[in-house]
Amino acid sequence: MTAYPLTWLYAPGDRPEVVAKALTRGADVVVVDLEDAVSPDRKAYARDATADLLADPPAVPVHVRVNAQDSPWGEQDITALAPAPGLSGLRLSKITSPADVTRAARRAARAGLYALLETALAVEQAYAIAGAHPNLRGIALGEVDLRADLGVRDDTGLDWSRSRVVVAARAAGLPPPPQSIHPDIRDLDGLATSCAHGRALGFLGRAAIHPRQLPVIERAYLPTDAEIEQAETVLKAAAVEQGAQALPDGRFIDAAVVTAARRTLSLARRRPRTH
């Protein structure tokens, strides 16, 4: 089974020294941010610095969050960075329709694209966006902007949108989306609780804005010893007898349960990281 990333670490594109450090902190993917983390007067510098970084493939996969296509910088970002040898993906901010994805795809050649859904309109069109183009590799929520757009105060007010995006990704044959960032880098307990909730909703992994968040995210999304033991029991039973059956402890298993068990063990094989 495919080993999808669990940790996505953001770093500001106009601070190459921070990006260089981010590449050493153990994240599965480093996301160089040209959008929210960069002031307008440094957009061009950030783009050029990122192009220099990606002139050769880095040791860690690098995605770039480009500016919105209707901004003064978005189309230039895509055109300049899509051909870079070291680019692993373009994260498209402020996507609101399938047309936004196809527009980016025309400029991005064969680059893998990831759509960020940050408004109510985008959430309403999640499935259409998820199936907009073969080069789209994933979708995810941008919860800071979505929270402002919806006027949501309590975190649970976003749960419907979260589930909508999880379902849309699955329906379109895309990987489970990662969770959006947890904005308080000191609140590691809150991060762990939030990750557990996100995992229950069907997310897989999470974006981070500080390296100290990485091990918390990874622990939350890697299976527990009990989950591993249960998955192994399911696969052993399935190897002996095909089809639906009941285990000695009363649990019922069928093909769907076996698929979930394989996914659990695939995650369990991930090597522990040192952050």
Side-chain angles (χ1 to χ4, degrees), residues 90-112:
L90 287 173
R91 302 186 74 77
L92 307 173
S93 60
K94 306 296 190 296
I95 294 298
T96 59
S97 70
D100 291 341
V101 176
T102 56
R103 178 182 168 193
R106 285 195 297 269
R107 289 179 168 80
R110 293 181 296 276

Side-chain angles (χ1 to χ4, degrees), residues 101-102 105 110-113 130-138 174:
V101 176
T102 56
R110 293 181 296 276
L113 304 177
H133 196 275
N135 287 356
L136 190 70
R137 303 287 187 260
L174 297 176

Side-chain angles (χ1 to χ4, degrees), residues 11 25 51 56 99 111 113 121 158 187 198 253 272:
R25 300 310 292 267
D56 296 300
L113 304 177
L121 178 60
L158 293 176
D187 181 22
I253 67 171

Side-chain angles (χ1 to χ4, degrees), residues 9-65:
L9 179 60
Y10 274 87
D14 64 339
R15 298 184 63 189
E17 73 285 0
V18 175
V19 175
K21 289 180 180 178
L23 291 169
T24 69
R25 300 310 292 267
D28 292 325
V29 177
V30 169
V31 182
V32 178
D33 189 9
L34 304 185
E35 194 206 14
D36 289 343
V38 179
S39 62
D41 62 323
R42 290 177 65 81
K43 297 287 190 183
Y45 169 73
R47 183 191 309 123
D48 292 344
T50 303
D52 289 343
L53 169 72
L54 299 177
D56 296 300
V60 177
V62 171
H63 289 199
V64 179
R65 180 166 76 168

Side-chain angles (χ1 to χ4, degrees), residues 18-236:
V18 175
V19 175
K21 289 180 180 178
L23 291 169
T24 69
R25 300 310 292 267
D28 292 325
V29 177
V30 169
V31 182
V32 178
D33 189 9
L34 304 185
E35 194 206 14
D36 289 343
V38 179
S39 62
D41 62 323
R42 290 177 65 81
K43 297 287 190 183
Y45 169 73
R47 183 191 309 123
D48 292 344
T50 303
D52 289 343
L53 169 72
L54 299 177
D56 296 300
V60 177
V62 171
H63 289 199
V64 179
R65 180 166 76 168
V66 296
N67 289 281
Q69 293 175 83
D70 60 358
S71 74
W73 313 281
E75 293 184 358
Q76 295 178 62
D77 290 345
I78 295 172
T79 301
L81 297 172
L87 180 73
S88 292
L90 287 173
R91 302 186 74 77
L92 307 173
S93 60
K94 306 296 190 296
I95 294 298
T96 59
S97 70
D100 291 341
V101 176
T102 56
R103 178 182 168 193
R106 285 195 297 269
R107 289 179 168 80
R110 293 181 296 276
L113 304 177
Y114 297 78
L116 299 177
L117 283 54
E118 305 176 66
T119 64
L121 178 60
V123 173
E124 279 296 306
Q125 301 199 73
Y127 175 65
I129 291 170
H133 196 275
N135 287 356
L136 190 70
R137 303 287 187 260
I139 61 174
L141 284 177
E143 291 190 359
V144 174
D145 286 81
L146 180 61
R147 188 186 301 271
D149 190 39
L150 295 175
V152 170
R153 295 184 179 181
D154 187 274
D155 191 61
T156 58
L158 293 176
D159 278 356
W160 185 87
S161 298
R162 292 164 174 160
S163 293
R164 179 71 177 267
V165 169
V166 169
V167 171
R170 177 59 183 161
L174 297 176
Q179 280 185 274
S180 186
I181 64 161
H182 186 72
D184 188 340
I185 64 173
R186 297 166 297 180
D187 181 22
L188 298 185
D189 289 340
L191 171 62
T193 299
S194 176
C195 287
H197 182 60
R199 186 182 180 196
L201 290 174
F203 288 96
L204 183 63
R206 188 164 199 163
I209 54 175
H210 194 282
R212 68 166 60 106
Q213 297 178 318
L214 299 176
V216 178
I217 294 168
E218 193 163 75
R219 280 196 302 270
Y221 275 97
L222 288 176
T224 64
D225 290 343
E227 289 169 337
I228 293 170
E229 182 178 355
Q230 290 172 1
E232 290 173 340
T233 300
V234 166
L235 292 187
K236 286 176 183 177

